[in-house]
Amino acid sequence: MVQLSINGKKVTAEEGEALLKVARREGFVIPTLCYHELLGSSGRCRLCVVEVNDAGKKRVVASCLYPAKENIEVFTDSDEVRLVRRTVLELLLARNPSAELIQHLAKQHGVTEVRYTPDQDKGKCILCNLCVRCCKDIVGVSALGMSGKGPMKKVGPPFDEPSETCIGCGACVVICPTGHIAMEEEKGVRTVWQKKFELAACPKCKRYHLPLFQLEWISKTRNIPVEELMVCEDCR
Amino acid sequence: MALSLKQLDSITSAFNAKEQAYDKIIRVCCGTGCITSGANRVLEGVLTAVEREGLSSKVLVKKTGCHGLCERGPIVTLGNDEILYQSVGKRDVAADVDLLLKTVTEGKVADKLLFRDSARKEKYTSSLDIPFYKGQKRIVLAMNGLINPEEIDDYIAHGGYRAPFRAFQMTPEEIIDWVTKGGLRGRGGGGFLTGRKWSSARAAKGGLKYVLANGDEGDPGAFMDRSLMEGNPHAVIEGMVIGGYTIGAQQGYIYVRDEYPLAVSRLTKAIEQARDYNMLGHDVFGSGFDFDLEIYRGGGAFVCGESTALMSSLEGKSGEPRDKYVHTVEHGLWDKPTNLNNVETWANVPHIINNGLDWYTSIGTKKSTGTKIFSLVGKVNNTGLIEVPMGISLREIIFGLGGGIRGKRQFKAVQTGGPSGGCIPEQHLDMPVDFDSLTSIGSMMGSGGMIVMDERNCMVDVARYFLRFLTEESCGKCVPCREGTRRMHEILDRICKGAGKIEDLMHLEELGKALQWGAICGLGQSAPNPVLSTIRYFSDEYKAHIIEGRCPAGVCKEITTFTIMEEKCTGCMRCAAECPMGAIIGEKKEPQRIDDLRCITCGICYDVCSFDAIKIG
Amino acid sequence: MEINKEKLDEIILKYGRDKAHLLAIFQDVQKEYRYLPKEAVRHICMRLGMPQVDGFEVATFYKSFSLKPRGKHTVHVCLGTACHLKGGADVLLSFMRELKVKTGETTADGAFTLESVNCLGACALAPLVRVDEKDFGKTTVAQSRNIIRDFTDHH
């Protein structure tokens, strides 16, 4: 265990534990976009920055990744920190003008004006990478990834074509913080990332629930008969 | 079987005896620059002529690495720096080859092939007298241009591969102590103390460790690493063997830009030859230590010069950097302790081991020891690669070695440090060139690009150029860099087009700070430097664009026109002959006129006019 | 696009079926087809046991790879700093005019692909143009036509 201070308050933490976790546990508010408790940190959005004074050496760091160390002083709301956060939010608002979450956070942090021409082609995607990590680490099918570089970077299935491995589970839709990913269901067919999935109708209540492809995949990976999975969760 | 020190000496005597059997040695530079200018044709021509004249037993023709004077290529030297011929075969290969042979057989020096210093209007026979070389201290580059980089015996005969023998007599701690006390700092940009890095890598826990050489020289305007890898690849290998032994790594990788095919082939050959002599592989130099090297080609991404991105690329992934709160010397390639040094840094190591601490620290300044290779390019008279002791002034480099500014123009700025550096104005020309001084004035050493600019270069355009570069080369991982660089570029582009606002300057400075503090890696953190340094030293030029809507240098096309002043034009028609668009109209001996519809505002007419008859508006 | 899977496997085996050599495998395959056919990327990913998205990410991250077919010759106009200061952008524009394509595009007859590149490391010879493996130093706007002609005659 190590002792450190956050905004002057003395706190204890495990050595190496991410500052974000420590600060949140102690009740400090630090905004994040690309961090998720289940998926961990990736340091992309830079909204969680804090200032650290380590033996006189001051620097602005991503709290989701910076490891707790003995005797460091952490400031969650210094001028430098505020400038980085406001800049990130203004830049994101220019990139994703229609994203409600970004509008809300920008307002909360005092960003009242966007000095750039807003993008029209990026939708609500902020490139937090949560959908990609979720598809890989939680679902385990790696149907989504990043492509391109710099301002051309984007998220999608390989070759921007319907993915062979996507099971249509919709986990990416749920985890997306801005609501960028569209998933539609019409007449027993689910469409996500350009791929169409036939939905299974529950033999008991006759309602459509999960894609057949997903049920077959679960059946194969967990060794449960498909017939059992055809019954929806409500009727099970 | 590993070679012994004694065997190295006998290779040396055998090699020297072989060379001494010839009366004369002709060295043809076959670096990338000279090859571009036709060196292969010259080499072929010389070889054929020597054979035809029956001189094969008397004259040895050698192919060497880069001499540094790339602009005057192809370069051919005779004897040991006795005579340097430049631009050989530029116009007529056969004629120049004849002249060369005449020099060899009759001792007749060919006047027209000698180096002319355009600033001093003097001619030089020996390279040792040419100011471009005279002001240099060539240690790392000493063998470039002398040895055949594809022949390991040549390297050995010039003292190569002795350092590992000395190093294996020392303990790793002693070597670290030497490298630290020698003050060797990273030549790739950051200037971090190499010895300290080695010490952390050695101390890091883990059986498997790696040493890497960064040959991903992406800084536009810099080519010293290319020249070293092409001209003296064994020096890099030698340094890495010592580094591997010191930190306890058995495997090393050299990461080379895909844009450098010749460097890749020369290094590949060098590694094979070193393996044949058991200087790489199992039980190297009979020391009981195993060490091998492998080359990885990059994929054309500037960001891969950043240590964590380079390692990600080596793992076969895209080159996204990560935060370095945990250092790569502890968790690097494949999460193992990894020591990464730049190619030039590695090539310094054998010299420290061979010549000792006192010798090394006597070169350079107290805090920046040794020499540094720069690529001096842009608007100077002599462009090319130079190796100079640290602490030399910018003025000495630009006006001494470089021979001053080309033509009748004035010095405006020198850009150092590539896209992470800044533009340095006249007032700082007498400052010593070392890591800390350059940083103190808003630039940096970087890998050693030194780009000289005159009054026909627009500083706002230069800032825009670097931000365009950085926007394209940003990996796109973190928001400040991905979105911030492109927005900075947008603002600069607006200013260059005459649509800027005065508050844009404050906005740029604010965005710059956010990038410095908020971005993940060095690329994003230093991306504002080209902008901030030009605002700092050339704010008048920004204001001319914003307030007056004009580009004083005549570069920014949207707000530039060229007009011919009737009263000054003599009708010599030089501009009309040079204009690529045929946009200059008029009769001979009559004042000319520019057809604005055809004009692409390239400014060639302005640059070639001897009567100052063209006005930038 | 019909791909030769045996040839691909040969390349993959040359690099020991090692994921770390993905860039090298792509480079070799690209040399074979002058671009990276999608089907080849899929096959390589399958053989290396990696998700297709990872192959797609690498193929689109690095500038030297192209998923689009390329021309018989590639013209690289250097826009490094020295080349920029000495008029590299004007040289690029002249190639655009001559070839009637934008950067990154291929001529309709499939003869040339035009690319810009951020420094080829021959700065003393700025502005530099590289066509396939041949370099041209100190190029001018007027020269672009001749350079193209040099390569048009040979195909």
Side-chain angles (χ1 to χ4, degrees), chain B residues 71 220 223 226 257 294 296 298-300 313 317-319 378 461 465 469 473 557, chain C residues 21 27 57 61-64 79-81 84 86 90 118-119 121 124-125 130 135 138:
Chain B
E71 200 201 349
F223 56 102
R226 174 176 68 70
R257 284 184 86 191
E294 209 178 319
Y296 270 63
S313 183
K317 298 188 260 189
S318 69
D461 173 67
Y465 163 79
F469 177 91
E473 296 295 348
K557 289 186 190 298
Chain C
H21 286 108
Q27 271 149 352
E57 179 177 341
F61 185 88
Y62 295 99
K63 207 170 174 173
S64 57
L79 292 182
T81 318
H84 173 78
K86 290 192 168 173
D90 282 325
N118 288 327
C119 200
L125 297 170
R130 176 177 290 175
D135 289 349
K138 296 189 185 178

mmCIF file of all heavy atoms in Angstrom, chain B residues 71 220 223 226 257 294 296 298-300 313 317-319 378 461 465 469 473 557, chain C residues 21 27 57 61-64 79-81 84 86 90 118-119 121 124-125 130 135 138:
data_model
loop_
_atom_site.group_PDB
_atom_site.id
_atom_site.type_symbol
_atom_site.label_atom_id
_atom_site.label_comp_id
_atom_site.label_asym_id
_atom_site.label_seq_id
_atom_site.Cartn_x
_atom_site.Cartn_y
_atom_site.Cartn_z
ATOM 1 N N GLU B 71 24.799 16.363 -52.897
ATOM 2 C CA GLU B 71 24.297 17.198 -53.971
ATOM 3 C C GLU B 71 25.265 17.244 -55.141
ATOM 4 O O GLU B 71 24.876 17.457 -56.278
ATOM 5 C CB GLU B 71 24.050 18.606 -53.436
ATOM 6 C CG GLU B 71 23.098 19.362 -54.318
ATOM 7 C CD GLU B 71 23.211 20.849 -54.128
ATOM 8 O OE1 GLU B 71 23.879 21.267 -53.167
ATOM 9 O OE2 GLU B 71 22.670 21.576 -54.948
ATOM 10 N N PRO B 220 11.352 14.336 -41.865
ATOM 11 C CA PRO B 220 11.621 14.799 -43.215
ATOM 12 C C PRO B 220 12.804 15.755 -43.189
ATOM 13 O O PRO B 220 12.867 16.652 -42.355
ATOM 14 C CB PRO B 220 10.330 15.513 -43.617
ATOM 15 C CG PRO B 220 9.650 15.859 -42.340
ATOM 16 C CD PRO B 220 10.084 14.851 -41.329
ATOM 17 N N PHE B 223 18.721 12.367 -43.084
ATOM 18 C CA PHE B 223 19.072 11.076 -43.696
ATOM 19 C C PHE B 223 20.393 10.533 -43.178
ATOM 20 O O PHE B 223 21.061 9.768 -43.862
ATOM 21 C CB PHE B 223 19.068 11.179 -45.225
ATOM 22 C CG PHE B 223 19.961 12.252 -45.806
ATOM 23 C CD1 PHE B 223 21.192 11.942 -46.353
ATOM 24 C CD2 PHE B 223 19.550 13.573 -45.808
ATOM 25 C CE1 PHE B 223 22.004 12.917 -46.898
ATOM 26 C CE2 PHE B 223 20.366 14.569 -46.349
ATOM 27 C CZ PHE B 223 21.593 14.233 -46.894
ATOM 28 N N ARG B 226 20.160 6.663 -42.604
ATOM 29 C CA ARG B 226 20.208 5.953 -43.880
ATOM 30 C C ARG B 226 21.652 5.817 -44.353
ATOM 31 O O ARG B 226 22.107 4.745 -44.739
ATOM 32 C CB ARG B 226 19.404 6.713 -44.939
ATOM 33 C CG ARG B 226 19.529 6.096 -46.315
ATOM 34 C CD ARG B 226 18.667 6.779 -47.361
ATOM 35 N NE ARG B 226 19.075 8.129 -47.694
ATOM 36 C CZ ARG B 226 20.178 8.456 -48.358
ATOM 37 N NH1 ARG B 226 21.009 7.508 -48.748
ATOM 38 N NH2 ARG B 226 20.475 9.697 -48.600
ATOM 39 N N ARG B 257 13.188 1.711 -42.069
ATOM 40 C CA ARG B 257 12.108 2.226 -42.930
ATOM 41 C C ARG B 257 12.049 1.448 -44.236
ATOM 42 O O ARG B 257 13.072 1.147 -44.845
ATOM 43 C CB ARG B 257 12.412 3.669 -43.345
ATOM 44 C CG ARG B 257 12.193 4.688 -42.339
ATOM 45 C CD ARG B 257 12.452 6.053 -42.967
ATOM 46 N NE ARG B 257 11.255 6.544 -43.623
ATOM 47 C CZ ARG B 257 11.246 7.595 -44.425
ATOM 48 N NH1 ARG B 257 12.342 8.224 -44.714
ATOM 49 N NH2 ARG B 257 10.120 8.018 -44.938
ATOM 50 N N GLU B 294 18.155 -9.451 -36.230
ATOM 51 C CA GLU B 294 17.213 -9.631 -37.326
ATOM 52 C C GLU B 294 16.728 -8.257 -37.768
ATOM 53 O O GLU B 294 16.627 -7.348 -36.942
ATOM 54 C CB GLU B 294 16.037 -10.474 -36.821
ATOM 55 C CG GLU B 294 15.384 -11.293 -37.894
ATOM 56 C CD GLU B 294 14.248 -12.157 -37.325
ATOM 57 O OE1 GLU B 294 14.395 -12.729 -36.215
ATOM 58 O OE2 GLU B 294 13.217 -12.227 -37.978
ATOM 59 N N TYR B 296 13.791 -5.845 -39.357
ATOM 60 C CA TYR B 296 12.363 -5.681 -39.628
ATOM 61 C C TYR B 296 12.191 -4.449 -40.481
ATOM 62 O O TYR B 296 12.753 -3.401 -40.176
ATOM 63 C CB TYR B 296 11.578 -5.519 -38.319
ATOM 64 C CG TYR B 296 11.093 -6.807 -37.723
ATOM 65 C CD1 TYR B 296 12.005 -7.768 -37.292
ATOM 66 C CD2 TYR B 296 9.736 -7.066 -37.590
ATOM 67 C CE1 TYR B 296 11.563 -8.958 -36.747
ATOM 68 C CE2 TYR B 296 9.283 -8.261 -37.031
ATOM 69 C CZ TYR B 296 10.200 -9.203 -36.617
ATOM 70 O OH TYR B 296 9.758 -10.386 -36.080
ATOM 71 N N GLY B 298 9.872 -1.416 -41.800
ATOM 72 C CA GLY B 298 8.678 -0.679 -41.395
ATOM 73 C C GLY B 298 7.670 -0.650 -42.526
ATOM 74 O O GLY B 298 7.883 -1.220 -43.590
ATOM 75 N N GLY B 299 6.568 0.031 -42.273
ATOM 76 C CA GLY B 299 5.519 0.060 -43.287
ATOM 77 C C GLY B 299 5.204 1.450 -43.790
ATOM 78 O O GLY B 299 4.209 1.670 -44.459
ATOM 79 N N GLY B 300 6.084 2.404 -43.449
ATOM 80 C CA GLY B 300 5.820 3.760 -43.900
ATOM 81 C C GLY B 300 4.895 4.502 -42.965
ATOM 82 O O GLY B 300 3.812 4.938 -43.355
ATOM 83 N N SER B 313 4.754 -2.140 -33.730
ATOM 84 C CA SER B 313 4.933 -2.500 -35.128
ATOM 85 C C SER B 313 5.785 -3.767 -35.263
ATOM 86 O O SER B 313 5.510 -4.629 -36.088
ATOM 87 C CB SER B 313 5.582 -1.334 -35.876
ATOM 88 O OG SER B 313 5.718 -1.614 -37.232
ATOM 89 N N LYS B 317 1.773 -5.401 -35.368
ATOM 90 C CA LYS B 317 0.509 -4.671 -35.219
ATOM 91 C C LYS B 317 0.634 -3.273 -35.796
ATOM 92 O O LYS B 317 1.696 -2.848 -36.236
ATOM 93 C CB LYS B 317 0.153 -4.584 -33.730
ATOM 94 C CG LYS B 317 -0.061 -5.945 -33.097
ATOM 95 C CD LYS B 317 -0.590 -5.826 -31.704
ATOM 96 C CE LYS B 317 0.511 -6.011 -30.704
ATOM 97 N NZ LYS B 317 0.199 -6.121 -29.341
ATOM 98 N N SER B 318 -0.459 -2.522 -35.748
ATOM 99 C CA SER B 318 -0.395 -1.135 -36.190
ATOM 100 C C SER B 318 0.415 -0.350 -35.156
ATOM 101 O O SER B 318 0.526 -0.753 -34.001
ATOM 102 C CB SER B 318 -1.791 -0.550 -36.354
ATOM 103 O OG SER B 318 -2.409 -0.405 -35.116
ATOM 104 N N GLY B 319 0.990 0.749 -35.592
ATOM 105 C CA GLY B 319 1.915 1.480 -34.728
ATOM 106 C C GLY B 319 1.247 2.497 -33.829
ATOM 107 O O GLY B 319 1.477 3.690 -33.977
ATOM 108 N N GLY B 378 18.492 22.452 -47.743
ATOM 109 C CA GLY B 378 17.753 23.693 -47.944
ATOM 110 C C GLY B 378 18.559 24.673 -48.755
ATOM 111 O O GLY B 378 19.263 24.312 -49.696
ATOM 112 N N ASP B 461 3.831 29.190 -43.949
ATOM 113 C CA ASP B 461 3.720 28.032 -44.823
ATOM 114 C C ASP B 461 4.521 26.855 -44.263
ATOM 115 O O ASP B 461 4.090 25.702 -44.340
ATOM 116 C CB ASP B 461 4.222 28.383 -46.231
ATOM 117 C CG ASP B 461 4.294 27.164 -47.135
ATOM 118 O OD1 ASP B 461 3.221 26.624 -47.462
ATOM 119 O OD2 ASP B 461 5.419 26.748 -47.498
ATOM 120 N N TYR B 465 3.075 23.392 -43.382
ATOM 121 C CA TYR B 465 3.656 22.182 -43.939
ATOM 122 C C TYR B 465 3.822 21.105 -42.855
ATOM 123 O O TYR B 465 3.411 19.954 -43.021
ATOM 124 C CB TYR B 465 5.022 22.477 -44.591
ATOM 125 C CG TYR B 465 5.830 21.231 -44.821
ATOM 126 C CD1 TYR B 465 5.556 20.406 -45.905
ATOM 127 C CD2 TYR B 465 6.818 20.842 -43.913
ATOM 128 C CE1 TYR B 465 6.258 19.231 -46.083
ATOM 129 C CE2 TYR B 465 7.514 19.666 -44.091
ATOM 130 C CZ TYR B 465 7.235 18.860 -45.177
ATOM 131 O OH TYR B 465 7.915 17.685 -45.334
ATOM 132 N N PHE B 469 1.907 17.497 -42.388
ATOM 133 C CA PHE B 469 2.681 16.274 -42.189
ATOM 134 C C PHE B 469 2.190 15.524 -40.940
ATOM 135 O O PHE B 469 1.905 14.336 -40.967
ATOM 136 C CB PHE B 469 4.155 16.644 -42.058
ATOM 137 C CG PHE B 469 5.062 15.489 -41.774
ATOM 138 C CD1 PHE B 469 5.649 14.784 -42.812
ATOM 139 C CD2 PHE B 469 5.338 15.102 -40.472
ATOM 140 C CE1 PHE B 469 6.485 13.716 -42.554
ATOM 141 C CE2 PHE B 469 6.172 14.033 -40.199
ATOM 142 C CZ PHE B 469 6.743 13.339 -41.243
ATOM 143 N N GLU B 473 0.400 11.959 -40.304
ATOM 144 C CA GLU B 473 1.181 10.926 -39.629
ATOM 145 C C GLU B 473 0.701 10.623 -38.210
ATOM 146 O O GLU B 473 1.194 9.698 -37.577
ATOM 147 C CB GLU B 473 2.667 11.308 -39.610
ATOM 148 C CG GLU B 473 3.298 11.399 -41.005
ATOM 149 C CD GLU B 473 3.340 10.052 -41.731
ATOM 150 O OE1 GLU B 473 3.105 9.009 -41.095
ATOM 151 O OE2 GLU B 473 3.591 10.050 -42.944
ATOM 152 N N LYS B 557 0.119 30.810 -52.350
ATOM 153 C CA LYS B 557 -0.382 31.103 -53.696
ATOM 154 C C LYS B 557 -1.615 31.991 -53.727
ATOM 155 O O LYS B 557 -1.722 32.884 -54.562
ATOM 156 C CB LYS B 557 -0.693 29.797 -54.426
ATOM 157 C CG LYS B 557 0.547 29.011 -54.813
ATOM 158 C CD LYS B 557 0.168 27.812 -55.652
ATOM 159 C CE LYS B 557 1.349 26.872 -55.862
ATOM 160 N NZ LYS B 557 2.467 27.479 -56.583
ATOM 161 N N HIS C 21 5.640 -11.214 -38.086
ATOM 162 C CA HIS C 21 6.141 -10.873 -39.414
ATOM 163 C C HIS C 21 5.037 -10.466 -40.381
ATOM 164 O O HIS C 21 5.228 -10.497 -41.590
ATOM 165 C CB HIS C 21 6.947 -12.044 -39.998
ATOM 166 C CG HIS C 21 8.294 -12.189 -39.356
ATOM 167 N ND1 HIS C 21 8.591 -13.193 -38.499
ATOM 168 C CD2 HIS C 21 9.390 -11.406 -39.426
ATOM 169 C CE1 HIS C 21 9.850 -13.054 -38.073
ATOM 170 N NE2 HIS C 21 10.341 -11.969 -38.616
ATOM 171 N N GLN C 27 4.349 -7.115 -47.209
ATOM 172 C CA GLN C 27 5.261 -6.477 -48.164
ATOM 173 C C GLN C 27 5.575 -7.410 -49.327
ATOM 174 O O GLN C 27 5.563 -7.002 -50.485
ATOM 175 C CB GLN C 27 6.558 -6.045 -47.461
ATOM 176 C CG GLN C 27 6.465 -4.646 -46.878
ATOM 177 C CD GLN C 27 7.303 -4.461 -45.627
ATOM 178 O OE1 GLN C 27 7.852 -5.421 -45.083
ATOM 179 N NE2 GLN C 27 7.390 -3.242 -45.150
ATOM 180 N N GLU C 57 -6.642 -3.822 -40.077
ATOM 181 C CA GLU C 57 -6.100 -2.660 -39.367
ATOM 182 C C GLU C 57 -4.676 -2.370 -39.846
ATOM 183 O O GLU C 57 -4.339 -1.238 -40.193
ATOM 184 C CB GLU C 57 -6.108 -2.909 -37.853
ATOM 185 C CG GLU C 57 -5.528 -1.738 -37.067
ATOM 186 C CD GLU C 57 -5.580 -1.910 -35.553
ATOM 187 O OE1 GLU C 57 -6.366 -2.754 -35.061
ATOM 188 O OE2 GLU C 57 -4.845 -1.202 -34.852
ATOM 189 N N PHE C 61 -3.267 0.868 -41.888
ATOM 190 C CA PHE C 61 -2.519 1.815 -41.033
ATOM 191 C C PHE C 61 -1.259 2.312 -41.735
ATOM 192 O O PHE C 61 -0.920 3.486 -41.667
ATOM 193 C CB PHE C 61 -2.147 1.129 -39.716
ATOM 194 C CG PHE C 61 -1.478 2.047 -38.723
ATOM 195 C CD1 PHE C 61 -2.237 2.805 -37.835
ATOM 196 C CD2 PHE C 61 -0.089 2.180 -38.676
ATOM 197 C CE1 PHE C 61 -1.631 3.668 -36.932
ATOM 198 C CE2 PHE C 61 0.520 3.034 -37.775
ATOM 199 C CZ PHE C 61 -0.253 3.785 -36.894
ATOM 200 N N TYR C 62 -0.571 1.410 -42.401
ATOM 201 C CA TYR C 62 0.724 1.753 -42.983
ATOM 202 C C TYR C 62 0.576 2.251 -44.409
ATOM 203 O O TYR C 62 -0.158 1.665 -45.205
ATOM 204 C CB TYR C 62 1.666 0.546 -42.941
ATOM 205 C CG TYR C 62 2.008 0.144 -41.536
ATOM 206 C CD1 TYR C 62 1.358 -0.909 -40.909
ATOM 207 C CD2 TYR C 62 2.970 0.841 -40.810
ATOM 208 C CE1 TYR C 62 1.663 -1.277 -39.601
ATOM 209 C CE2 TYR C 62 3.284 0.472 -39.509
ATOM 210 C CZ TYR C 62 2.636 -0.585 -38.906
ATOM 211 O OH TYR C 62 2.936 -0.941 -37.624
ATOM 212 N N LYS C 63 1.325 3.299 -44.675
ATOM 213 C CA LYS C 63 1.208 3.953 -45.981
ATOM 214 C C LYS C 63 1.684 3.075 -47.131
ATOM 215 O O LYS C 63 1.234 3.222 -48.257
ATOM 216 C CB LYS C 63 2.019 5.256 -45.959
ATOM 217 C CG LYS C 63 1.467 6.270 -46.933
ATOM 218 C CD LYS C 63 2.088 7.634 -46.762
ATOM 219 C CE LYS C 63 1.571 8.537 -47.887
ATOM 220 N NZ LYS C 63 1.975 9.912 -47.730
ATOM 221 N N SER C 64 2.587 2.139 -46.850
ATOM 222 C CA SER C 64 3.120 1.377 -47.983
ATOM 223 C C SER C 64 2.164 0.297 -48.489
ATOM 224 O O SER C 64 2.407 -0.289 -49.527
ATOM 225 C CB SER C 64 4.493 0.788 -47.652
ATOM 226 O OG SER C 64 4.418 -0.003 -46.511
ATOM 227 N N LEU C 79 7.574 14.872 -50.511
ATOM 228 C CA LEU C 79 7.175 16.139 -49.911
ATOM 229 C C LEU C 79 7.843 16.315 -48.551
ATOM 230 O O LEU C 79 7.265 16.860 -47.627
ATOM 231 C CB LEU C 79 5.648 16.219 -49.775
ATOM 232 C CG LEU C 79 4.848 16.307 -51.087
ATOM 233 C CD1 LEU C 79 3.359 16.422 -50.800
ATOM 234 C CD2 LEU C 79 5.291 17.491 -51.925
ATOM 235 N N GLY C 80 9.067 15.803 -48.433
ATOM 236 C CA GLY C 80 9.839 16.055 -47.219
ATOM 237 C C GLY C 80 10.121 17.548 -47.131
ATOM 238 O O GLY C 80 9.876 18.288 -48.094
ATOM 239 N N THR C 81 10.674 17.978 -46.008
ATOM 240 C CA THR C 81 10.847 19.418 -45.795
ATOM 241 C C THR C 81 11.693 20.077 -46.877
ATOM 242 O O THR C 81 11.322 21.099 -47.438
ATOM 243 C CB THR C 81 11.506 19.677 -44.430
ATOM 244 O OG1 THR C 81 10.906 18.795 -43.495
ATOM 245 C CG2 THR C 81 11.275 21.100 -43.981
ATOM 246 N N HIS C 84 9.801 20.197 -50.039
ATOM 247 C CA HIS C 84 8.726 21.188 -49.958
ATOM 248 C C HIS C 84 9.276 22.589 -50.207
ATOM 249 O O HIS C 84 8.718 23.359 -50.981
ATOM 250 C CB HIS C 84 8.055 21.120 -48.592
ATOM 251 C CG HIS C 84 7.037 22.210 -48.355
ATOM 252 N ND1 HIS C 84 5.776 22.159 -48.899
ATOM 253 C CD2 HIS C 84 7.114 23.369 -47.678
ATOM 254 C CE1 HIS C 84 5.110 23.254 -48.552
ATOM 255 N NE2 HIS C 84 5.899 23.998 -47.808
ATOM 256 N N LYS C 86 11.826 23.437 -51.768
ATOM 257 C CA LYS C 86 12.366 23.646 -53.110
ATOM 258 C C LYS C 86 11.335 23.355 -54.190
ATOM 259 O O LYS C 86 11.679 23.055 -55.329
ATOM 260 C CB LYS C 86 13.632 22.811 -53.299
ATOM 261 C CG LYS C 86 14.770 23.359 -52.448
ATOM 262 C CD LYS C 86 16.091 22.759 -52.831
ATOM 263 C CE LYS C 86 17.238 23.509 -52.194
ATOM 264 N NZ LYS C 86 18.508 22.853 -52.424
ATOM 265 N N ASP C 90 4.807 21.878 -56.177
ATOM 266 C CA ASP C 90 4.562 22.242 -57.577
ATOM 267 C C ASP C 90 4.871 21.068 -58.501
ATOM 268 O O ASP C 90 4.189 20.862 -59.506
ATOM 269 C CB ASP C 90 5.423 23.454 -57.978
ATOM 270 C CG ASP C 90 4.831 24.764 -57.450
ATOM 271 O OD1 ASP C 90 3.583 24.867 -57.413
ATOM 272 O OD2 ASP C 90 5.603 25.659 -57.065
ATOM 273 N N ASN C 118 6.360 11.308 -47.545
ATOM 274 C CA ASN C 118 6.963 12.254 -46.619
ATOM 275 C C ASN C 118 8.420 11.926 -46.379
ATOM 276 O O ASN C 118 8.781 11.321 -45.386
ATOM 277 C CB ASN C 118 6.205 12.269 -45.291
ATOM 278 C CG ASN C 118 4.859 12.941 -45.431
ATOM 279 O OD1 ASN C 118 4.692 13.873 -46.221
ATOM 280 N ND2 ASN C 118 3.885 12.462 -44.687
ATOM 281 N N CYS C 119 9.274 12.291 -47.276
ATOM 282 C CA CYS C 119 10.722 12.145 -47.173
ATOM 283 C C CYS C 119 11.264 10.780 -47.567
ATOM 284 O O CYS C 119 10.967 9.771 -46.966
ATOM 285 C CB CYS C 119 11.291 12.493 -45.793
ATOM 286 S SG CYS C 119 13.059 12.861 -45.911
ATOM 287 N N GLY C 121 14.622 10.646 -47.880
ATOM 288 C CA GLY C 121 15.979 10.688 -47.347
ATOM 289 C C GLY C 121 17.054 11.001 -48.368
ATOM 290 O O GLY C 121 18.197 10.629 -48.205
ATOM 291 N N ALA C 124 19.427 16.198 -50.117
ATOM 292 C CA ALA C 124 20.379 17.076 -50.784
ATOM 293 C C ALA C 124 20.057 17.187 -52.267
ATOM 294 O O ALA C 124 20.568 18.053 -52.951
ATOM 295 C CB ALA C 124 21.795 16.572 -50.585
ATOM 296 N N LEU C 125 19.205 16.272 -52.752
ATOM 297 C CA LEU C 125 18.861 16.289 -54.172
ATOM 298 C C LEU C 125 17.415 16.744 -54.391
ATOM 299 O O LEU C 125 16.792 16.422 -55.390
ATOM 300 C CB LEU C 125 19.074 14.901 -54.774
ATOM 301 C CG LEU C 125 20.522 14.421 -54.741
ATOM 302 C CD1 LEU C 125 20.617 12.958 -55.115
ATOM 303 C CD2 LEU C 125 21.380 15.249 -55.675
ATOM 304 N N ARG C 130 10.536 9.498 -57.094
ATOM 305 C CA ARG C 130 10.918 8.090 -57.255
ATOM 306 C C ARG C 130 9.860 7.390 -58.100
ATOM 307 O O ARG C 130 8.686 7.409 -57.746
ATOM 308 C CB ARG C 130 11.056 7.410 -55.888
ATOM 309 C CG ARG C 130 11.365 5.903 -55.984
ATOM 310 C CD ARG C 130 11.572 5.271 -54.626
ATOM 311 N NE ARG C 130 12.817 5.709 -54.004
ATOM 312 C CZ ARG C 130 13.205 5.386 -52.768
ATOM 313 N NH1 ARG C 130 12.436 4.612 -52.028
ATOM 314 N NH2 ARG C 130 14.334 5.840 -52.272
ATOM 315 N N ASP C 135 15.283 6.757 -58.783
ATOM 316 C CA ASP C 135 15.146 8.092 -58.205
ATOM 317 C C ASP C 135 15.561 9.171 -59.205
ATOM 318 O O ASP C 135 16.527 9.001 -59.949
ATOM 319 C CB ASP C 135 16.037 8.228 -56.957
ATOM 320 C CG ASP C 135 15.504 7.410 -55.797
ATOM 321 O OD1 ASP C 135 14.362 6.929 -55.894
ATOM 322 O OD2 ASP C 135 16.236 7.248 -54.799
ATOM 323 N N LYS C 138 16.612 16.677 -58.024
ATOM 324 C CA LYS C 138 16.493 18.064 -58.497
ATOM 325 C C LYS C 138 15.499 18.194 -59.646
ATOM 326 O O LYS C 138 15.802 18.768 -60.693
ATOM 327 C CB LYS C 138 17.861 18.584 -58.929
ATOM 328 C CG LYS C 138 18.851 18.658 -57.790
ATOM 329 C CD LYS C 138 20.085 19.386 -58.235
ATOM 330 C CE LYS C 138 21.142 19.359 -57.154
ATOM 331 N NZ LYS C 138 22.367 20.006 -57.563
#
